């Protein structure tokens, strides 16, 4: 059974990227489990890189981090829904990915090995008709999937500037409707 985790990384609730992701998710089979986590509601602590520290070890620092780690490991598919912010992923999304580095070093978790069987997808709205502005976001997520030996599911892009714009953009909604068409 497929289990989709939707990580919502926007700096606002009910933004265009979230609307686009929810439009795409409607095409998933009813038997597909969906978990939605908004990073605004489950804030992660700042990430500190202690890989080379002699006496400190990584640990889970908050309930939000535990929730996100557990949901990430439980999913078969992870959809990063981040708007294009300054040509890349949002700060909250970047912080979530930074925590992957720590989770790879948690004893007994085998994070990287367990991630290898999953598929990473990207969903993003941007306020420009020129999709090239999303390339750094796409590259960040595709290369993250590659590093983790995950499958790359692809990217869904939509147009939206003001709140709700994507819901009136027919091309974006048509792409959303077909985005998960091959998921079984």
């Amino acid at each position: 059974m497929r289990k989709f985790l939707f990580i919502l990384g926007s700096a606002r609730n009910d933004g265009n990227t979230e609307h686009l992701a929810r439009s795409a998710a409607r095409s998933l089979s009813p038997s597909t489990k969906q978990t939605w986590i908004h990073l605004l509601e489950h804030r992660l602590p700042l990430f500190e890189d202690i890989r080379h520290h002699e006496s400190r070890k990584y640990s889970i620092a908050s309930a939000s981090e535990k929730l996100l780690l557990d949901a990430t490991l439980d999913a078969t598919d992870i959809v990063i829904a981040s708007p294009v912010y300054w040509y890349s992923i949002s700060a909250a999304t970047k912080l979530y990915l930074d925590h992957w580095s720590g989770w790879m070093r948690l004893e007994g978790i085998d994070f990287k090995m367990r991630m290898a069987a999953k598929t990473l997808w990207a969903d993003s709205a941007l306020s420009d008709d020129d999709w090239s502005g999303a390339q750094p976001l796409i590259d960040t997520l595709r290369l993250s999937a590659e590093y983790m030996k995950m499958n790359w599911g692809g990217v869904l892009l939509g147009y939206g500037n003001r709140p709700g714009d994507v819901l009136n953009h027919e091309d974006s909604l048509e792409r959303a409707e077909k985005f998960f068409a091959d998921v079984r």
Side-chain angles (χ1 to χ4, degrees), residues 66-80:
K66 174 85 169 108
L67 172 84
L68 283 158
L69 171 60
D70 290 345
T72 300
L73 290 174
D74 187 51
T76 59
D77 296 78
I78 300 167
V79 180
I80 301 288

Side-chain angles (χ1 to χ4, degrees), residues 3-173:
K3 299 177 187 177
F4 273 70
L5 171 61
F6 291 84
I7 297 291
L8 304 175
S10 178
R12 73 167 61 113
N13 285 308
D14 298 319
N16 287 306
T17 296
E18 181 177 347
H19 287 306
L20 191 64
R22 291 190 185 278
S23 294
R26 282 195 278 280
S27 70
L28 291 170
S29 163
S31 66
T32 301
K33 181 182 176 191
Q34 296 181 33
T35 301
W36 295 78
I37 298 178
H38 203 301
L39 296 175
L40 274 180
E41 296 164 9
H42 299 282
R43 295 179 188 266
L44 287 166
L46 291 177
F47 178 75
E48 182 182 2
D49 183 356
I50 58 170
R51 287 175 295 165
H52 305 293
H53 197 279
E54 292 182 20
S55 62
R56 294 176 63 198
K57 293 187 179 203
Y58 285 99
S59 62
I60 302 299
S62 71
S64 288
E65 185 178 359
K66 174 85 169 108
L67 172 84
L68 283 158
L69 171 60
D70 290 345
T72 300
L73 290 174
D74 187 51
T76 59
D77 296 78
I78 300 167
V79 180
I80 301 288
S82 172
V84 174
Y85 286 165
W86 287 101
Y87 307 99
S88 191
I89 56 177
S90 69
T93 302
K94 175 66 168 71
L95 184 58
Y96 168 69
L97 293 177
D98 286 345
H99 276 274
W100 286 17
S101 183
W103 297 345
M104 285 191 289
R105 290 157 178 86
L106 290 172
E107 292 182 19
I109 300 294
D110 296 320
F111 185 78
K112 188 171 182 180
M113 181 194 74
R114 291 171 70 183
M115 294 298 282
K118 302 177 188 304
T119 300
L120 185 65
W121 306 80
D123 163 76
S124 188
L126 62 160
S127 61
D128 196 330
D129 290 323
D130 179 3
W131 300 120
S132 67
Q135 197 59 52
L137 176 145
I138 296 165
D139 291 343
T140 295
L141 296 175
R142 183 186 50 77
L143 290 168
S144 295
E146 187 177 300
Y147 176 77
M148 298 298 284
K149 308 279 192 261
M150 298 172 76
N151 299 309
W152 175 241
V155 61
L156 170 61
L157 296 176
Y159 174 80
N161 184 26
R162 299 185 57 73
D165 276 356
V166 76
L167 296 173
N168 299 312
H169 194 259
E170 287 185 35
D171 290 344
S172 297
L173 295 176

